[in-house]
Amino acid sequence: MSFTLAIVGRPNVGKSTLFNRLVGKRLALVDDQPGVTRDLREGAGRLGDLRFVVIDSAGLEMADDDSLQGRMRRLTERAVDEADICLFVVDARAGVTAADEYFAEILRRRARHVILAANKAEGHAGEAGALEAYALGLGEPLRISAEHGEGMDDLYRVLAPLADFVDAERPAPIEAATEVELTEEEAETGEAAEDWRPSAKRPLQLAVIGRPNAGKSTLINKIIGEDRLLTGPEAGITRDSISVTSEFMGTPMRIFDTAGMRKRAKVTDKVEKLSVADGLRAVRFAEVVVVLLDVAIPFEQQDLRIADFAESEGRAVVVAANKWDLEDDKPHKLNELRANFERLLPQLKGAPLVTVSARTGKGLDRLHAAVLKAHEVWNRRISTARLNRWLEVMTESHPPPAPGGRRIRLRYMTQVKTRPPAFIVKATHTDKIPDAYQRYLVNGLRTDFDLPGTPIRLFFRDQGKDNPYRAKANKISQSGALSKHKNRQKPKGG
């Protein structure tokens, strides 16, 4: 991408709608109420043949203190300083306000290049406001409608010449984490190209989720070494699911910060519902999910639901207890955490549990090691030969039941996918295999093949249904039986 474009302006002028228009997806949350966007969100923008990084920013507020609005403004000013081009958006229907004039003066001092856009200018209602925008002294205002896509050709006409003067690195595109199907050779040997290992071209996708005020944004800021995300004592500051690409102790990662997830019954505000949905979407993009707990009130019902959701989505899970620096009796608390973890989250048996302090940065080395271990297990492959030797030992030590006197036989096993590991067992009477026996096999896989914490998918298939010669064999046996029957009926000497 050739440049970075930051969209700025006062609240509720349509910045996020324009951002979604330029990236071609509904990534940013959009609502009629002002102040929905609080953090900086980056996306891959495209307009004609132009490719660029587009940044959606919080609405510029006339606040200089340490209030939430003041911190939002400082974050937006930082985007202005770092961007190659600023797209200053005003509301053509509301006309130019005193706040617009104030921020236009700031942009004249701080921005490298400024493009003025009068949004909501469709029809005749925005004509007067678009003409007023000339008074801002930022050149000819572009009349656009982010909602309806009008004026994008004019925006291209202005951006194209500026693209020759600026140049920025192209960020790696966000790709959703997917299962990896194994070929027959990979399944037999358990070996394949290790292209899953994190690299600059394909960073590890890491999502941090948890209840409000658990310290998710503070933790990510400490990991990347800068105040990139908005933080503060107020609960629920983060609304959008924001991704940041950085190196975590030498490992390339794309880290998703998510909105705090409260109990569904307590979520009544429309914007909060959108924020939670955006966070759940980030989990589906992730490879490893860090469930962040507040050590003072760990493993509440909502924490358990969040961890269970990450497991059900097939993501590798790491549980981190934050604010460890505030705990006095650390050995007793750690034993209590581990006991509750094993009791309340048996589906994540063996998953890493680490303690961290997002404020001081202590424990980040343990978190880094746990994330890499969970990612490696999530991508692990086991050869078919090893699996079938293991299956034979498991069935000999604890044979499957024989419901109705019909013995269940487990004949063959192979791994068909990774991310997470998935296995197929060919067996007889698969509809009669009890859940307890399935859990017995899954727990055995975890223990014997070192698969702690990662979700394991185990499927049973009727061996006869996959036998392409079964119908032919039945036909031959039936014809043979018919021939014998005719021979018995044939008169002697005839």
Side-chain angles (χ1 to χ4, degrees), residues 165-209:
F165 298 100
V166 293
D167 186 38
E169 293 183 356
R170 181 191 300 268
I174 302 176
E175 296 181 357
T178 57
E179 296 178 338
V180 176
E181 296 190 8
L182 304 182
T183 64
E184 291 185 7
E185 181 180 355
E186 292 171 348
E188 289 291 338
T189 62
E191 299 177 355
E194 296 190 346
D195 55 355
W196 55 267
R197 295 194 180 277
S199 62
K201 185 177 180 181
R202 191 172 183 176
L204 190 153
Q205 311 278 9
L206 178 71
V208 182
I209 62 176

mmCIF file of all heavy atoms in Angstrom, residues 165-209:
data_model
loop_
_atom_site.group_PDB
_atom_site.id
_atom_site.type_symbol
_atom_site.label_atom_id
_atom_site.label_comp_id
_atom_site.label_asym_id
_atom_site.label_seq_id
_atom_site.Cartn_x
_atom_site.Cartn_y
_atom_site.Cartn_z
ATOM 1 N N PHE A 165 3.678 10.837 -3.596
ATOM 2 C CA PHE A 165 4.603 11.506 -2.674
ATOM 3 C C PHE A 165 4.838 10.725 -1.385
ATOM 4 O O PHE A 165 5.789 11.004 -0.661
ATOM 5 C CB PHE A 165 4.062 12.895 -2.307
ATOM 6 C CG PHE A 165 3.934 13.816 -3.494
ATOM 7 C CD1 PHE A 165 2.701 14.008 -4.102
ATOM 8 C CD2 PHE A 165 5.042 14.478 -4.004
ATOM 9 C CE1 PHE A 165 2.572 14.846 -5.191
ATOM 10 C CE2 PHE A 165 4.914 15.321 -5.096
ATOM 11 C CZ PHE A 165 3.687 15.502 -5.701
ATOM 12 N N VAL A 166 3.960 9.810 -1.104
ATOM 13 C CA VAL A 166 4.071 9.107 0.176
ATOM 14 C C VAL A 166 4.148 7.608 -0.061
ATOM 15 O O VAL A 166 3.671 7.103 -1.070
ATOM 16 C CB VAL A 166 2.866 9.443 1.081
ATOM 17 C CG1 VAL A 166 2.900 10.887 1.504
ATOM 18 C CG2 VAL A 166 1.552 9.126 0.388
ATOM 19 N N ASP A 167 4.741 6.910 0.880
ATOM 20 C CA ASP A 167 4.892 5.467 0.747
ATOM 21 C C ASP A 167 4.901 4.846 2.139
ATOM 22 O O ASP A 167 5.542 5.367 3.038
ATOM 23 C CB ASP A 167 6.198 5.136 0.014
ATOM 24 C CG ASP A 167 6.317 3.655 -0.277
ATOM 25 O OD1 ASP A 167 5.301 3.034 -0.612
ATOM 26 O OD2 ASP A 167 7.429 3.120 -0.146
ATOM 27 N N ALA A 168 4.153 3.785 2.322
ATOM 28 C CA ALA A 168 4.102 3.094 3.620
ATOM 29 C C ALA A 168 4.112 1.601 3.376
ATOM 30 O O ALA A 168 3.851 1.129 2.273
ATOM 31 C CB ALA A 168 2.840 3.504 4.393
ATOM 32 N N GLU A 169 4.444 0.867 4.394
ATOM 33 C CA GLU A 169 4.484 -0.586 4.281
ATOM 34 C C GLU A 169 3.082 -1.149 4.189
ATOM 35 O O GLU A 169 2.164 -0.669 4.805
ATOM 36 C CB GLU A 169 5.190 -1.183 5.501
ATOM 37 C CG GLU A 169 6.652 -0.845 5.556
ATOM 38 C CD GLU A 169 7.326 -1.528 6.734
ATOM 39 O OE1 GLU A 169 6.605 -2.180 7.508
ATOM 40 O OE2 GLU A 169 8.545 -1.404 6.863
ATOM 41 N N ARG A 170 2.956 -2.185 3.420
ATOM 42 C CA ARG A 170 1.678 -2.882 3.288
ATOM 43 C C ARG A 170 1.517 -3.861 4.445
ATOM 44 O O ARG A 170 2.312 -4.777 4.599
ATOM 45 C CB ARG A 170 1.630 -3.659 1.971
ATOM 46 C CG ARG A 170 0.317 -4.398 1.759
ATOM 47 C CD ARG A 170 0.461 -5.346 0.588
ATOM 48 N NE ARG A 170 0.785 -4.661 -0.635
ATOM 49 C CZ ARG A 170 -0.132 -4.238 -1.512
ATOM 50 N NH1 ARG A 170 -1.401 -4.471 -1.283
ATOM 51 N NH2 ARG A 170 0.230 -3.616 -2.610
ATOM 52 N N PRO A 171 0.474 -3.727 5.305
ATOM 53 C CA PRO A 171 0.272 -4.700 6.382
ATOM 54 C C PRO A 171 -0.264 -6.012 5.839
ATOM 55 O O PRO A 171 -0.906 -6.045 4.796
ATOM 56 C CB PRO A 171 -0.771 -4.019 7.279
ATOM 57 C CG PRO A 171 -1.527 -3.120 6.346
ATOM 58 C CD PRO A 171 -0.539 -2.680 5.306
ATOM 59 N N ALA A 172 0.041 -7.072 6.543
ATOM 60 C CA ALA A 172 -0.452 -8.388 6.118
ATOM 61 C C ALA A 172 -1.963 -8.443 6.237
ATOM 62 O O ALA A 172 -2.528 -7.934 7.195
ATOM 63 C CB ALA A 172 0.171 -9.484 6.980
ATOM 64 N N PRO A 173 -2.660 -9.003 5.250
ATOM 65 C CA PRO A 173 -4.112 -9.083 5.335
ATOM 66 C C PRO A 173 -4.545 -10.014 6.453
ATOM 67 O O PRO A 173 -3.857 -10.974 6.790
ATOM 68 C CB PRO A 173 -4.519 -9.657 3.962
ATOM 69 C CG PRO A 173 -3.302 -10.398 3.497
ATOM 70 C CD PRO A 173 -2.129 -9.651 4.043
ATOM 71 N N ILE A 174 -5.701 -9.715 7.042
ATOM 72 C CA ILE A 174 -6.247 -10.545 8.106
ATOM 73 C C ILE A 174 -6.925 -11.745 7.483
ATOM 74 O O ILE A 174 -7.793 -11.604 6.633
ATOM 75 C CB ILE A 174 -7.266 -9.747 8.950
ATOM 76 C CG1 ILE A 174 -6.599 -8.507 9.550
ATOM 77 C CG2 ILE A 174 -7.865 -10.607 10.037
ATOM 78 C CD1 ILE A 174 -7.540 -7.615 10.305
ATOM 79 N N GLU A 175 -6.513 -12.934 7.907
ATOM 80 C CA GLU A 175 -7.131 -14.153 7.420
ATOM 81 C C GLU A 175 -7.713 -14.908 8.595
ATOM 82 O O GLU A 175 -7.076 -15.036 9.642
ATOM 83 C CB GLU A 175 -6.099 -15.033 6.698
ATOM 84 C CG GLU A 175 -5.529 -14.379 5.437
ATOM 85 C CD GLU A 175 -4.533 -15.286 4.758
ATOM 86 O OE1 GLU A 175 -4.268 -16.385 5.306
ATOM 87 O OE2 GLU A 175 -4.016 -14.910 3.705
ATOM 88 N N ALA A 176 -8.928 -15.367 8.427
ATOM 89 C CA ALA A 176 -9.559 -16.133 9.495
ATOM 90 C C ALA A 176 -8.837 -17.451 9.690
ATOM 91 O O ALA A 176 -8.359 -18.068 8.740
ATOM 92 C CB ALA A 176 -11.034 -16.391 9.164
ATOM 93 N N ALA A 177 -8.709 -17.863 10.948
ATOM 94 C CA ALA A 177 -8.096 -19.156 11.238
ATOM 95 C C ALA A 177 -8.994 -20.271 10.724
ATOM 96 O O ALA A 177 -10.200 -20.246 10.897
ATOM 97 C CB ALA A 177 -7.884 -19.309 12.747
ATOM 98 N N THR A 178 -8.386 -21.240 10.043
ATOM 99 C CA THR A 178 -9.168 -22.321 9.454
ATOM 100 C C THR A 178 -8.558 -23.660 9.813
ATOM 101 O O THR A 178 -7.380 -23.762 10.152
ATOM 102 C CB THR A 178 -9.210 -22.198 7.917
ATOM 103 O OG1 THR A 178 -7.864 -22.183 7.405
ATOM 104 C CG2 THR A 178 -9.911 -20.923 7.499
ATOM 105 N N GLU A 179 -9.377 -24.692 9.719
ATOM 106 C CA GLU A 179 -8.871 -26.042 9.891
ATOM 107 C C GLU A 179 -7.982 -26.397 8.697
ATOM 108 O O GLU A 179 -8.159 -25.891 7.589
ATOM 109 C CB GLU A 179 -10.026 -27.039 9.966
ATOM 110 C CG GLU A 179 -10.921 -26.843 11.178
ATOM 111 C CD GLU A 179 -12.081 -27.814 11.174
ATOM 112 O OE1 GLU A 179 -12.418 -28.321 10.084
ATOM 113 O OE2 GLU A 179 -12.657 -28.059 12.241
ATOM 114 N N VAL A 180 -7.002 -27.259 8.926
ATOM 115 C CA VAL A 180 -6.106 -27.701 7.864
ATOM 116 C C VAL A 180 -6.330 -29.186 7.647
ATOM 117 O O VAL A 180 -6.128 -29.994 8.557
ATOM 118 C CB VAL A 180 -4.628 -27.428 8.235
ATOM 119 C CG1 VAL A 180 -3.707 -27.995 7.164
ATOM 120 C CG2 VAL A 180 -4.396 -25.941 8.406
ATOM 121 N N GLU A 181 -6.774 -29.539 6.445
ATOM 122 C CA GLU A 181 -6.989 -30.944 6.124
ATOM 123 C C GLU A 181 -5.664 -31.586 5.730
ATOM 124 O O GLU A 181 -4.833 -30.985 5.053
ATOM 125 C CB GLU A 181 -8.007 -31.073 4.988
ATOM 126 C CG GLU A 181 -9.390 -30.574 5.359
ATOM 127 C CD GLU A 181 -10.427 -30.940 4.316
ATOM 128 O OE1 GLU A 181 -10.072 -31.707 3.401
ATOM 129 O OE2 GLU A 181 -11.561 -30.469 4.428
ATOM 130 N N LEU A 182 -5.470 -32.815 6.164
ATOM 131 C CA LEU A 182 -4.231 -33.536 5.895
ATOM 132 C C LEU A 182 -4.392 -34.444 4.694
ATOM 133 O O LEU A 182 -5.444 -35.050 4.495
ATOM 134 C CB LEU A 182 -3.836 -34.373 7.120
ATOM 135 C CG LEU A 182 -3.674 -33.616 8.446
ATOM 136 C CD1 LEU A 182 -3.226 -34.583 9.533
ATOM 137 C CD2 LEU A 182 -2.671 -32.484 8.301
ATOM 138 N N THR A 183 -3.327 -34.556 3.911
ATOM 139 C CA THR A 183 -3.316 -35.518 2.818
ATOM 140 C C THR A 183 -3.103 -36.912 3.405
ATOM 141 O O THR A 183 -2.747 -37.079 4.572
ATOM 142 C CB THR A 183 -2.193 -35.194 1.825
ATOM 143 O OG1 THR A 183 -0.926 -35.347 2.491
ATOM 144 C CG2 THR A 183 -2.326 -33.763 1.316
ATOM 145 N N GLU A 184 -3.286 -37.937 2.565
ATOM 146 C CA GLU A 184 -3.097 -39.302 3.042
ATOM 147 C C GLU A 184 -1.657 -39.534 3.503
ATOM 148 O O GLU A 184 -1.408 -40.195 4.511
ATOM 149 C CB GLU A 184 -3.461 -40.292 1.926
ATOM 150 C CG GLU A 184 -4.952 -40.337 1.597
ATOM 151 C CD GLU A 184 -5.261 -41.418 0.574
ATOM 152 O OE1 GLU A 184 -4.345 -42.190 0.242
ATOM 153 O OE2 GLU A 184 -6.412 -41.473 0.116
ATOM 154 N N GLU A 185 -0.705 -38.963 2.763
ATOM 155 C CA GLU A 185 0.703 -39.138 3.133
ATOM 156 C C GLU A 185 1.004 -38.465 4.458
ATOM 157 O O GLU A 185 1.696 -39.020 5.313
ATOM 158 C CB GLU A 185 1.599 -38.560 2.037
ATOM 159 C CG GLU A 185 3.089 -38.721 2.325
ATOM 160 C CD GLU A 185 3.962 -38.135 1.227
ATOM 161 O OE1 GLU A 185 3.384 -37.693 0.202
ATOM 162 O OE2 GLU A 185 5.186 -38.130 1.398
ATOM 163 N N GLU A 186 0.473 -37.239 4.676
ATOM 164 C CA GLU A 186 0.682 -36.533 5.938
ATOM 165 C C GLU A 186 0.040 -37.273 7.097
ATOM 166 O O GLU A 186 0.584 -37.324 8.205
ATOM 167 C CB GLU A 186 0.136 -35.113 5.838
ATOM 168 C CG GLU A 186 0.914 -34.216 4.892
ATOM 169 C CD GLU A 186 0.220 -32.902 4.648
ATOM 170 O OE1 GLU A 186 -0.959 -32.768 5.028
ATOM 171 O OE2 GLU A 186 0.858 -32.009 4.053
ATOM 172 N N ALA A 187 -1.146 -37.857 6.855
ATOM 173 C CA ALA A 187 -1.819 -38.610 7.910
ATOM 174 C C ALA A 187 -1.036 -39.872 8.261
ATOM 175 O O ALA A 187 -0.942 -40.259 9.427
ATOM 176 C CB ALA A 187 -3.234 -38.980 7.474
ATOM 177 N N GLU A 188 -0.457 -40.524 7.254
ATOM 178 C CA GLU A 188 0.294 -41.750 7.503
ATOM 179 C C GLU A 188 1.573 -41.478 8.295
ATOM 180 O O GLU A 188 1.917 -42.196 9.220
ATOM 181 C CB GLU A 188 0.639 -42.432 6.175
ATOM 182 C CG GLU A 188 -0.555 -43.065 5.473
ATOM 183 C CD GLU A 188 -1.088 -44.278 6.210
ATOM 184 O OE1 GLU A 188 -0.326 -44.885 6.993
ATOM 185 O OE2 GLU A 188 -2.266 -44.607 6.024
ATOM 186 N N THR A 189 2.288 -40.406 7.912
ATOM 187 C CA THR A 189 3.590 -40.137 8.524
ATOM 188 C C THR A 189 3.507 -39.197 9.709
ATOM 189 O O THR A 189 4.403 -39.173 10.546
ATOM 190 C CB THR A 189 4.541 -39.522 7.477
ATOM 191 O OG1 THR A 189 3.993 -38.266 7.029
ATOM 192 C CG2 THR A 189 4.703 -40.456 6.288
ATOM 193 N N GLY A 190 2.440 -38.384 9.772
ATOM 194 C CA GLY A 190 2.350 -37.380 10.826
ATOM 195 C C GLY A 190 3.271 -36.210 10.585
ATOM 196 O O GLY A 190 3.487 -35.386 11.480
ATOM 197 N N GLU A 191 3.814 -36.077 9.383
ATOM 198 C CA GLU A 191 4.734 -34.994 9.070
ATOM 199 C C GLU A 191 4.206 -34.189 7.905
ATOM 200 O O GLU A 191 3.526 -34.692 7.025
ATOM 201 C CB GLU A 191 6.120 -35.548 8.722
ATOM 202 C CG GLU A 191 6.766 -36.339 9.860
ATOM 203 C CD GLU A 191 8.099 -36.917 9.443
ATOM 204 O OE1 GLU A 191 8.451 -36.778 8.252
ATOM 205 O OE2 GLU A 191 8.776 -37.510 10.303
ATOM 206 N N ALA A 192 4.526 -32.899 7.929
ATOM 207 C CA ALA A 192 4.144 -32.004 6.837
ATOM 208 C C ALA A 192 4.979 -30.739 6.956
ATOM 209 O O ALA A 192 5.689 -30.533 7.945
ATOM 210 C CB ALA A 192 2.653 -31.674 6.892
ATOM 211 N N ALA A 193 4.902 -29.900 5.939
ATOM 212 C CA ALA A 193 5.634 -28.636 5.977
ATOM 213 C C ALA A 193 5.127 -27.787 7.140
ATOM 214 O O ALA A 193 3.933 -27.664 7.348
ATOM 215 C CB ALA A 193 5.453 -27.890 4.657
ATOM 216 N N GLU A 194 6.066 -27.243 7.903
ATOM 217 C CA GLU A 194 5.679 -26.475 9.085
ATOM 218 C C GLU A 194 5.418 -25.022 8.714
ATOM 219 O O GLU A 194 6.008 -24.094 9.275
ATOM 220 C CB GLU A 194 6.761 -26.592 10.161
ATOM 221 C CG GLU A 194 6.924 -28.025 10.675
ATOM 222 C CD GLU A 194 7.811 -28.106 11.898
ATOM 223 O OE1 GLU A 194 8.506 -27.112 12.197
ATOM 224 O OE2 GLU A 194 7.821 -29.150 12.549
ATOM 225 N N ASP A 195 4.531 -24.796 7.755
ATOM 226 C CA ASP A 195 4.205 -23.442 7.348
ATOM 227 C C ASP A 195 3.275 -22.759 8.329
ATOM 228 O O ASP A 195 2.927 -21.603 8.157
ATOM 229 C CB ASP A 195 3.580 -23.440 5.943
ATOM 230 C CG ASP A 195 2.370 -24.353 5.854
ATOM 231 O OD1 ASP A 195 2.070 -25.051 6.846
ATOM 232 O OD2 ASP A 195 1.718 -24.362 4.795
ATOM 233 N N TRP A 196 2.839 -23.487 9.375
ATOM 234 C CA TRP A 196 1.974 -22.886 10.382
ATOM 235 C C TRP A 196 2.760 -22.046 11.383
ATOM 236 O O TRP A 196 2.169 -21.266 12.138
ATOM 237 C CB TRP A 196 1.223 -23.990 11.149
ATOM 238 C CG TRP A 196 2.103 -25.030 11.771
ATOM 239 C CD1 TRP A 196 2.485 -26.214 11.218
ATOM 240 C CD2 TRP A 196 2.717 -24.979 13.058
ATOM 241 N NE1 TRP A 196 3.300 -26.909 12.079
ATOM 242 C CE2 TRP A 196 3.454 -26.179 13.226
ATOM 243 C CE3 TRP A 196 2.712 -24.048 14.092
ATOM 244 C CZ2 TRP A 196 4.186 -26.448 14.378
ATOM 245 C CZ3 TRP A 196 3.441 -24.314 15.246
ATOM 246 C CH2 TRP A 196 4.160 -25.505 15.374
ATOM 247 N N ARG A 197 4.074 -22.209 11.414
ATOM 248 C CA ARG A 197 4.853 -21.454 12.397
ATOM 249 C C ARG A 197 4.786 -19.951 12.103
ATOM 250 O O ARG A 197 4.828 -19.539 10.944
ATOM 251 C CB ARG A 197 6.304 -21.934 12.418
ATOM 252 C CG ARG A 197 6.435 -23.379 12.905
ATOM 253 C CD ARG A 197 7.854 -23.746 13.252
ATOM 254 N NE ARG A 197 7.943 -25.123 13.710
ATOM 255 C CZ ARG A 197 7.693 -25.518 14.955
ATOM 256 N NH1 ARG A 197 7.349 -24.622 15.856
ATOM 257 N NH2 ARG A 197 7.790 -26.783 15.299
ATOM 258 N N PRO A 198 4.679 -19.112 13.149
ATOM 259 C CA PRO A 198 4.528 -17.666 12.936
ATOM 260 C C PRO A 198 5.693 -17.067 12.175
ATOM 261 O O PRO A 198 6.855 -17.437 12.382
ATOM 262 C CB PRO A 198 4.468 -17.109 14.369
ATOM 263 C CG PRO A 198 4.057 -18.266 15.224
ATOM 264 C CD PRO A 198 4.640 -19.483 14.573
ATOM 265 N N SER A 199 5.379 -16.156 11.265
ATOM 266 C CA SER A 199 6.399 -15.454 10.488
ATOM 267 C C SER A 199 5.901 -14.031 10.234
ATOM 268 O O SER A 199 4.737 -13.708 10.493
ATOM 269 C CB SER A 199 6.662 -16.172 9.165
ATOM 270 O OG SER A 199 5.492 -16.191 8.364
ATOM 271 N N ALA A 200 6.780 -13.192 9.717
ATOM 272 C CA ALA A 200 6.385 -11.815 9.418
ATOM 273 C C ALA A 200 5.283 -11.777 8.366
ATOM 274 O O ALA A 200 4.401 -10.917 8.392
ATOM 275 C CB ALA A 200 7.604 -11.020 8.950
ATOM 276 N N LYS A 201 5.328 -12.733 7.435
ATOM 277 C CA LYS A 201 4.312 -12.786 6.389
ATOM 278 C C LYS A 201 2.992 -13.325 6.921
ATOM 279 O O LYS A 201 1.917 -12.911 6.477
ATOM 280 C CB LYS A 201 4.815 -13.660 5.233
ATOM 281 C CG LYS A 201 3.891 -13.696 4.034
ATOM 282 C CD LYS A 201 4.491 -14.528 2.912
ATOM 283 C CE LYS A 201 3.549 -14.569 1.703
ATOM 284 N NZ LYS A 201 4.122 -15.392 0.608
ATOM 285 N N ARG A 202 3.074 -14.247 7.869
ATOM 286 C CA ARG A 202 1.873 -14.854 8.425
ATOM 287 C C ARG A 202 1.978 -14.867 9.949
ATOM 288 O O ARG A 202 2.307 -15.875 10.560
ATOM 289 C CB ARG A 202 1.714 -16.282 7.887
ATOM 290 C CG ARG A 202 0.364 -16.895 8.210
ATOM 291 C CD ARG A 202 0.200 -18.209 7.481
ATOM 292 N NE ARG A 202 -1.107 -18.776 7.719
ATOM 293 C CZ ARG A 202 -1.560 -19.885 7.155
ATOM 294 N NH1 ARG A 202 -0.788 -20.536 6.300
ATOM 295 N NH2 ARG A 202 -2.755 -20.334 7.421
ATOM 296 N N PRO A 203 1.685 -13.731 10.609
ATOM 297 C CA PRO A 203 1.831 -13.665 12.067
ATOM 298 C C PRO A 203 0.776 -14.503 12.779
ATOM 299 O O PRO A 203 -0.285 -14.798 12.232
ATOM 300 C CB PRO A 203 1.637 -12.171 12.364
ATOM 301 C CG PRO A 203 0.821 -11.653 11.224
ATOM 302 C CD PRO A 203 1.244 -12.456 10.031
ATOM 303 N N LEU A 204 1.109 -14.889 13.992
ATOM 304 C CA LEU A 204 0.170 -15.653 14.823
ATOM 305 C C LEU A 204 -1.012 -14.749 15.190
ATOM 306 O O LEU A 204 -0.826 -13.615 15.628
ATOM 307 C CB LEU A 204 0.885 -16.145 16.079
ATOM 308 C CG LEU A 204 0.171 -17.151 16.981
ATOM 309 C CD1 LEU A 204 1.212 -17.990 17.740
ATOM 310 C CD2 LEU A 204 -0.747 -16.474 17.986
ATOM 311 N N GLN A 205 -2.227 -15.249 15.019
ATOM 312 C CA GLN A 205 -3.431 -14.473 15.323
ATOM 313 C C GLN A 205 -3.831 -14.732 16.775
ATOM 314 O O GLN A 205 -4.178 -15.864 17.133
ATOM 315 C CB GLN A 205 -4.581 -14.893 14.391
ATOM 316 C CG GLN A 205 -4.221 -14.935 12.909
ATOM 317 C CD GLN A 205 -4.284 -13.569 12.249
ATOM 318 O OE1 GLN A 205 -4.429 -12.551 12.910
ATOM 319 N NE2 GLN A 205 -4.187 -13.540 10.940
ATOM 320 N N LEU A 206 -3.769 -13.698 17.602
ATOM 321 C CA LEU A 206 -4.020 -13.828 19.039
ATOM 322 C C LEU A 206 -5.140 -12.881 19.447
ATOM 323 O O LEU A 206 -5.077 -11.680 19.179
ATOM 324 C CB LEU A 206 -2.742 -13.505 19.819
ATOM 325 C CG LEU A 206 -2.836 -13.537 21.346
ATOM 326 C CD1 LEU A 206 -2.994 -14.973 21.841
ATOM 327 C CD2 LEU A 206 -1.614 -12.889 21.981
ATOM 328 N N ALA A 207 -6.186 -13.414 20.080
ATOM 329 C CA ALA A 207 -7.292 -12.595 20.580
ATOM 330 C C ALA A 207 -7.271 -12.598 22.097
ATOM 331 O O ALA A 207 -7.057 -13.646 22.719
ATOM 332 C CB ALA A 207 -8.633 -13.116 20.064
ATOM 333 N N VAL A 208 -7.486 -11.427 22.688
ATOM 334 C CA VAL A 208 -7.568 -11.289 24.145
ATOM 335 C C VAL A 208 -9.011 -10.957 24.493
ATOM 336 O O VAL A 208 -9.542 -9.932 24.054
ATOM 337 C CB VAL A 208 -6.616 -10.198 24.667
ATOM 338 C CG1 VAL A 208 -6.685 -10.112 26.189
ATOM 339 C CG2 VAL A 208 -5.188 -10.475 24.218
ATOM 340 N N ILE A 209 -9.658 -11.843 25.252
ATOM 341 C CA ILE A 209 -11.063 -11.649 25.586
ATOM 342 C C ILE A 209 -11.245 -11.760 27.096
ATOM 343 O O ILE A 209 -10.390 -12.280 27.814
ATOM 344 C CB ILE A 209 -11.971 -12.678 24.872
ATOM 345 C CG1 ILE A 209 -11.629 -14.114 25.310
ATOM 346 C CG2 ILE A 209 -11.857 -12.552 23.364
ATOM 347 C CD1 ILE A 209 -12.541 -15.166 24.710
#
